Amino acid sequence: MTDTAPNETTGDTAGNGAAVGGEATPGVQTLKDNVIKFANDAGEKAKAAAEDGKNRAGGALDELAVMLKDAAGTVDQKVGEQYGQYARSAADAVSNFSQSLQAKQIDDLIDDAREFVKKSPAVAIGTAAAIGFVLARLVKAGLDAPADNDKV
């Protein structure tokens, strides 16, 4: 019985701990479930936004390709046929890129970006810095524009 008494006491302590833990466990589990749900919802929204952005980028690239093809005729007349052919080649390249972009899934694009960063981290950092610089200039220009209009 000596062995039974300590085990029962330990069982009571564990039981009390389990009861306290049991009271906290549903709350913790609910919190975990909510966090997981929030993360899944955020992931789905991010994928939907990325898909929308991909479609918009594809449409913009298609429009750019059409503009380049249209400009090729003008370039033929003004500069020469050889340069018009450059414009047509550029239009074809943009069109092909647009088609490949639209054909890929978001997960494939993310994997491609990861591979690019792994292979060329310096180029990726330089590109990110250049994009950041351009965005900063655009934001600054947007903030300065209203101030300039007030002075006029």
Side-chain angles (χ1 to χ4, degrees), residues 126-142:
T127 302
I131 290 170
F133 176 76
V134 169
L135 288 175
R137 296 294 291 174
L138 289 172
V139 168
K140 184 178 181 204

Side-chain angles (χ1 to χ4, degrees), residues 113 116-118 120-129:
F116 176 76
V117 170
K118 286 179 184 177
S120 306
V123 173
I125 290 171
T127 302

Side-chain angles (χ1 to χ4, degrees), residues 66-89:
V66 169
M67 287 184 353
L68 287 171
K69 285 180 184 177
D70 291 344
T74 304
V75 171
D76 283 343
Q77 294 172 355
K78 294 193 176 196
V79 182
E81 201 170 300
Q82 177 185 4
Y83 296 103
Q85 188 57 38
Y86 291 147
R88 283 184 202 81
S89 296

Side-chain angles (χ1 to χ4, degrees), residues 57-58 61-62 91-103 109:
L61 288 171
D62 287 339
D92 290 340
V94 169
S95 180
N96 290 338
F97 178 69
S98 174
Q99 289 172 357
S100 68
L101 177 70
Q102 291 176 354
L109 293 173

Side-chain angles (χ1 to χ4, degrees), residues 14-41:
N16 291 339
V20 172
E23 291 173 12
T25 300
V28 170
Q29 187 60 41
T30 302
L31 180 62
K32 285 181 182 179
D33 291 344
N34 287 340
V35 168
I36 290 170
K37 183 180 180 229
F38 178 74
N40 288 339
D41 289 346

